Amino acid sequence: MFNRTPTNVTYHVGDTAILPCSVRNLGTKEVIWKRKNQKHVITVGDFVFISDNSYSIDHRDDSDDWNLIIKNVQKSHAGYFECQVSTRENMNITVQLNVIAVHISGPAFIDKGQPIVLTCNASGPITPDDIDWFKDGKKVRSSAEHISIRSIRNAETKTLYSTLKIKHGEMTDSGTYICRSSDLEIESHNLMVLNGN
Amino acid sequence: MVYLKFSDIFAVNPSFDVPVVNITVINGKTAILPCSVDSLGDHKVVWTDQFSTLLTFDIQRIIDDDRIGVDRPYTKDWNLIIHDVRYSDKGRYICQINTKPVQTKSVELIVLVPPVILEDSSSNDVICREGETVTLTCNVTGVPTPTVNWYKRPLADGASHLKEKVGMNGEILIIHNVSRFCDGIYECVAYNDIPPAVNREMIVQVEFAPEIRLPNKRISQSVGRETILECIIEAFPQALSFWRYKGKELKSSHKHRIEVYQDGEEHQITLSLRIVDIRQEDFGKYVCHASNKLGSDREAMDLFGKKAVYFLEYLTKVSRESYLNRHFIFAISIYLLYICF
């Protein structure tokens, strides 16, 4: 019997992804992980079958959990995984792994007058060409005095970094910031400017 | 410290050494799905089925199906063995080596199944009436799809050598406008080259109203003697049958002995009436009756006295033209009159 675990997990590129699978009363049977669309298995019990050391199994002897761990998760890992129990009764659960290739980092709250710095990194099989910023749905453009947007490309990690800077945060700068890569990967970030005076 | 795997040192990658094959096996037998690997090194071999269910890992069975195992007659063999193969086992099996990328080899398992007649959805014995349409069904399964042939033989015991092929091949035999001659034992035989062939028998019986036939319509006998009246009745189901005389049904008694016997023909009986010590009052019309749920029939038969009178007239006529003594003829006449009346 499977314990109820999330069947849809989302990670950012580079994260260590955990795909949960928990089985009660496994007995002598084995837990097998495979990708839905591939014939070969990834793991059998705690043995990693494929020659790819980004995969491992998180299991303790006294635990029901047989979580699949994917180190440095990439966009290419995204998809459907099947956690299967080695029985004729066709026991399996499907876990969807989503990997978001854009990620906004930056503060959620800022004091009025302080600088706002939000960084969006977007990666992909090929480094994305460009990143667009939106605030509350409206495209944000660089303006000489108030807002600057700069991009840096890292060929090795195939990542494009875009930094949005506002020298002095105003109350009107509160809102939802959205980063969208040219691969149409998208993420939002909420920022609130606080007025303590 | 750097660890080198055996396969890294020699840079020999494992590979399958036999080509892709199809394995054909008969239901219930053992299937061996070949997978031989050269230079396996410390790689592992697994087998999965068409649903990507993992069956074996290394030399162990993983699936909870003890018909399955890894068969290793030689070191390089990693054959999948399936005992007591079922039809549901058919499909593509994949032998995999955990090289990078994973190497796979598939083996198609074909399962042949001897013919089976499905009792529940096949015909049983049939009783019908003339003119109806009878449909006989033998619902068969098997792989490949069996051919169904139909045979018919008479209902009578010991007539099995008269078996004849009827109709066309197929699961359904339709007999239109059934007549009483369509009755018999019908047999379907299913075969698909995977022995054994199987068969099923269905008895078809056709109901019809009685039909009476009298071998003699008139019979004569002398007073004091006895006679047998015979009535042949053809019917199915067999009829209620009796003799009637002067409006009364006759029962077996010291006077009348009634017997029924079957004489070879299916559905045909003879109803005999033996009348002993015939008296004058026994002469007359005897009626043979037969009826079943489909109808009835009757035929009348005359029993009459031997009319010595006609003989006398004849003798008189003859005597006029002959030398016979009139007194002798008279004496004979008296005698005949005595024995006849």
Side-chain angles (χ1 to χ4, degrees):
Chain A
M1 278 284 285
F2 289 101
N3 293 315
R4 281 184 73 89
T5 51
T7 54
N8 196 331
V9 293
T10 302
Y11 290 93
H12 287 106
V13 168
D15 288 350
T16 294
I18 300 169
L19 278 66
C21 183
S22 182
V23 186
R24 271 198 307 284
N25 308 324
L26 184 63
T28 55
K29 296 181 175 60
E30 300 278 3
V31 173
I32 294 132
W33 276 100
K34 65 181 288 294
R35 289 186 75 95
K36 270 271 189 202
N37 60 349
Q38 282 179 341
K39 285 178 179 149
H40 60 263
V41 299
I42 299 168
T43 59
V44 181
D46 51 12
F47 181 84
V48 179
F49 180 71
I50 58 170
S51 306
D52 182 342
N53 55 18
S54 54
Y55 290 98
S56 60
I57 285 290
D58 175 27
H59 172 71
R60 280 178 293 112
D61 282 348
D62 58 349
S63 162
D64 286 348
D65 295 348
W66 293 86
N67 300 338
L68 181 68
I69 310 294
I70 309 173
K71 272 192 304 188
N72 187 22
V73 74
Q74 296 300 313
K75 196 75 192 157
S76 59
H77 288 117
Y80 294 93
F81 289 74
E82 184 178 292
C83 173
Q84 158 186 123
V85 175
S86 60
T87 164
R88 274 291 184 212
E89 285 139 42
N90 201 21
M91 277 181 71
N92 60 66
I93 56 163
T94 300
V95 179
Q96 185 179 1
L97 170 66
N98 308 296
V99 179
I100 301 176
V102 294
H103 182 51
I104 300 175
S105 49
F109 302 100
I110 197 142
D111 285 328
K112 187 182 169 205
Q114 294 297 305
I116 297 170
V117 180
L118 296 176
T119 304
C120 175
N121 45 24
S123 53
I126 323 167
T127 316
D129 288 334
D130 203 2
I131 285 172
D132 285 329
W133 285 94
F134 298 84
K135 178 179 171 283
D136 298 330
K138 261 187 78 181
K139 184 157 177 171
V140 181
R141 294 174 207 280
S142 285
S143 65
E145 64 281 11
H146 190 54
I147 300 175
S148 75
I149 295 172
R150 292 241 167 75
S151 294
I152 305 166
R153 192 174 296 267
N154 184 329
E156 198 184 335
T157 59
K158 294 180 178 167
T159 306
L160 180 67
Y161 298 89
S162 174
T163 306
L164 180 147
K165 276 185 190 160
I166 299 172
K167 273 183 194 155
H168 305 289
E170 296 294 328
M171 296 306 287
T172 54
D173 292 327
S174 292
T176 301
Y177 287 82
I178 286 168
C179 161
R180 188 177 72 181
S181 77
S182 50
D183 298 338
L184 299 181
E185 291 277 344
I186 198 157
E187 202 189 27
S188 67
H189 180 87
N190 288 322
L191 179 80
M192 189 70 78
V193 179
L194 308 173
N195 188 353
N197 300 325
Chain B
M1 186 94 179
V2 176
Y3 288 99
L4 284 176
K5 285 199 286 191
F6 173 85
S7 55
D8 294 336
I9 298 164
F10 292 94
V12 178
N13 256 330
S15 59
F16 297 109
D17 83 338
V18 282
V20 174
V21 285
N22 289 343
I23 296 294
T24 300
V25 99
I26 294 173
N27 194 46
K29 300 274 190 276
T30 296
I32 293 177
L33 281 55
C35 182
S36 294
V37 183
D38 285 329
S39 323
L40 183 66
D42 53 6
H43 289 95
K44 302 285 187 211
V45 175
V46 302
W47 276 96
T48 57
D49 68 10
Q50 60 191 320
F51 310 109
S52 291
T53 305
L54 187 69
L55 304 174
T56 65
F57 168 65
D58 201 41
I59 57 166
Q60 308 164 42
R61 167 170 60 85
I62 292 291
I63 193 81
D64 60 345
D65 182 343
D66 57 14
R67 300 177 303 125
I68 285 176
V70 179
D71 179 45
R72 302 199 56 203
Y74 296 98
T75 312
K76 65 175 184 176
D77 292 336
W78 296 86
N79 305 334
L80 184 72
I81 188 162
I82 309 174
H83 297 282
D84 186 22
V85 166
R86 299 169 192 153
Y87 183 65
S88 56
D89 293 330
K90 76 179 167 64
R92 188 169 293 271
Y93 288 77
I94 300 160
C95 177
Q96 308 177 8
I97 314 171
N98 63 341
T99 48
K100 191 174 185 176
V102 172
Q103 290 185 66
T104 62
K105 178 204 164 181
S106 47
V107 179
E108 186 79 22
L109 176 65
I110 298 158
V111 181
L112 302 177
V113 185
V116 172
I117 296 173
L118 303 173
E119 303 283 328
D120 291 347
S121 51
S122 296
S123 297
N124 294 309
D125 294 346
V126 175
I127 294 176
C128 62
R129 292 181 183 182
E130 289 194 308
E132 290 181 349
T133 295
V134 170
T135 304
L136 299 177
T137 308
C138 266
N139 213 333
V140 299
T141 61
V143 180
T145 305
T147 305
V148 181
N149 283 304
W150 290 88
Y151 300 91
K152 179 193 176 214
R153 66 175 199 268
L155 283 163
D157 292 337
S160 58
H161 60 282
L162 296 172
K163 185 159 121 173
E164 54 173 337
K165 193 171 185 308
V166 289
M168 293 193 292
N169 294 344
E171 288 179 308
I172 297 173
L173 179 72
I174 299 174
I175 313 167
H176 293 285
N177 194 14
V178 166
S179 79
R180 67 193 65 174
F181 308 106
C182 297
D183 65 358
I185 300 169
Y186 287 78
E187 180 188 22
C188 67
V189 178
Y191 190 57
N192 66 350
D193 292 331
I194 316 299
V198 287
N199 71 328
R200 181 182 173 88
E201 290 187 348
M202 288 146 259
I203 295 173
V204 174
Q205 290 181 296
V206 183
E207 293 181 330
F208 56 96
E211 288 175 15
I212 291 177
R213 192 155 47 82
L214 297 175
N216 294 305
K217 293 278 272 183
R218 287 166 58 80
I219 194 165
S220 66
Q221 186 54 289
S222 308
V223 169
R225 309 292 285 272
E226 64 173 61
T227 193
I228 295 175
L229 311 187
E230 280 190 327
C231 170
I232 297 170
I233 302 162
E234 206 181 338
F236 185 78
Q238 207 29 268
L240 169 72
S241 48
F242 55 87
W243 283 99
R244 195 184 284 233
Y245 180 62
K246 289 182 177 166
K248 278 182 66 183
E249 183 184 334
L250 297 178
K251 307 273 189 206
S252 276
S253 63
H254 64 277
K255 180 82 183 173
H256 300 116
R257 191 147 315 134
I258 297 161
E259 283 181 71
V260 177
Y261 52 93
Q262 191 148 20
D263 47 0
E265 291 292 314
E266 201 70 33
H267 306 319
Q268 183 176 306
I269 58 162
T270 301
L271 182 68
S272 75
L273 171 64
R274 186 190 193 96
I275 308 168
V276 298
D277 188 19
I278 293 172
R279 299 279 117 204
Q280 190 61 40
E281 66 267 23
D282 292 329
F283 294 124
K285 212 179 266 283
Y286 286 81
V287 184
C288 175
H289 283 264
S291 65
N292 66 9
K293 61 183 175 182
L294 296 182
S296 61
D297 194 12
R298 63 177 170 182
E299 287 288 336
M301 186 167 171
D302 273 329
L303 174 65
F304 58 97
K306 285 203 171 143
K307 286 288 196 286
V309 180
Y310 302 143
F311 184 57
L312 279 176
E313 281 172 4
Y314 170 74
L315 279 180
T316 312
K317 190 182 165 203
V318 169
S319 67
R320 279 191 206 113
E321 300 151 13
S322 69
Y323 307 106
L324 284 172
N325 186 315
R326 287 188 183 177
H327 294 105
F328 173 64
I329 292 168
F330 182 70
I332 289 174
S333 306
I334 296 301
Y335 173 70
L336 286 172
L337 284 169
Y338 173 72
I339 62 166
C340 293
F341 298 100

